[in-house]
Amino acid sequence: MSSEQGPVTVMVVDDHPMWREAVARDLAGAGFEVVATAGDGEQAVRRARATSPDVIVLDLNLPAKPGVQVCKEVVAADPALRVLVLSASGEHADVLEAVKSGATGYLLKSASTEELLDAVRRTAVGDPVFTPGLAGLVLGEYRRLASDPGPATNPDEPKAPRLTDRETEVLRLVAKGLSYKQIAERLVISHRTVQNHVQNTLGKLQLHNRVELVRYAIERGLDDE
């Protein structure tokens, strides 16, 4: 994300007001634009849709709707959105569930302010960011998922749904980590058209979020083309 596009927009979601405000203050002080904060899951989904932040810094332990559900819903609504989980839990099951829900990063709350700011910067440009010790776990899970053929739903089903040339082109650029805005500029189409292509592709492939879409593209070598 280049500086001429303006500051990275961020939303902070945590049910502890003092923690939420402190994180928002640190981010704003470092040059991020905090467009919203939320204290529960329902509010988080509503405000994410209203403000379309680049990055959501998300706690998993939320009232009204758990963080993993929030993650699933906001990423399904906008697969360009990136979620950095900031959690007190380093439990492997929590980490893997967050990643499967569409989070691209997972940081423990014991991280320093500098580590958090760096993690948000890296998440904004599409880098996966994990607390040391968790990256290997997540990578191993990705490899397992990629090599796992998954449940055979219906043997008569066609193997690969037909994507249009433009959908394939957009999918390839998503797999390379480009934002919707960058894809729109490169293909000289509108941001909304890019979103429509991604939504159509998710529907055809029966995928739920950007993480699954990228994994699908990588399995087929589209990111190398």
Side-chain angles (χ1 to χ4, degrees):
M1 217 165 268
S2 59
S3 54
E4 61 264 23
Q5 289 180 1
V8 171
T9 55
V10 185
M11 179 167 108
V12 181
V13 183
D14 197 290
D15 63 332
H16 293 97
M18 283 176 64
W19 176 270
R20 186 170 69 239
E21 286 159 22
V23 170
R25 199 167 50 243
D26 286 341
L27 290 168
F32 295 100
E33 185 183 343
V34 179
V35 291
T37 62
D40 67 55
E42 296 285 4
Q43 198 179 57
V45 171
R46 232 176 17 251
R47 291 185 180 173
R49 287 184 179 159
T51 58
S52 296
D54 297 317
V55 178
I56 295 183
V57 177
L58 176 72
D59 185 20
L60 291 182
N61 193 10
L62 296 171
K65 191 185 289 259
V68 287
Q69 187 58 35
V70 170
C71 193
K72 274 182 192 155
E73 289 184 26
V74 297
V75 175
D78 180 4
L81 192 151
R82 292 177 172 137
V83 178
L84 172 66
V85 169
L86 186 59
S87 174
S89 166
E91 291 292 320
H92 288 183
D94 289 337
V95 179
L96 293 178
E97 198 181 1
V99 170
K100 286 176 185 172
S101 302
T104 54
Y106 196 105
L107 201 63
L108 294 182
K109 283 187 171 179
S110 53
S112 68
T113 302
E114 271 315 307
E115 285 172 320
L116 170 63
L117 297 176
D118 181 57
V120 175
R121 277 185 206 104
R122 287 168 54 204
T123 300
V125 296
D127 289 347
V129 183
F130 294 95
T131 289
L134 297 180
L137 167 82
V138 173
L139 197 60
E141 180 69 3
Y142 265 136
R143 287 198 181 116
R144 189 188 70 71
L145 287 169
S147 62
D148 182 1
T153 43
N154 178 355
D156 302 326
E157 247 176 51
K159 285 308 280 176
R162 291 284 308 161
L163 298 181
T164 65
D165 290 346
R166 184 42 66 92
E167 284 166 354
T168 304
E169 205 171 4
V170 169
L171 177 59
R172 185 174 295 132
L173 295 175
V174 168
K176 287 178 187 287
L178 272 68
S179 69
Y180 281 11
K181 184 170 183 181
Q182 290 166 323
I183 295 171
E185 285 167 1
R186 181 172 296 196
L187 300 180
V188 202
I189 54 179
S190 73
H191 184 280
R192 171 62 55 198
T193 303
V194 174
Q195 275 187 313
N196 289 342
H197 283 314
V198 171
Q199 289 302 336
N200 290 344
T201 304
L202 286 170
K204 282 185 182 179
L205 302 177
Q206 295 185 310
L207 303 175
H208 304 99
N209 56 47
R210 187 188 177 108
V211 173
E212 292 183 6
L213 197 62
V214 170
R215 196 171 74 225
Y216 174 91
I218 290 170
E219 282 168 16
R220 283 152 188 79
L222 288 174
D223 59 322
D224 296 328
E225 291 180 19

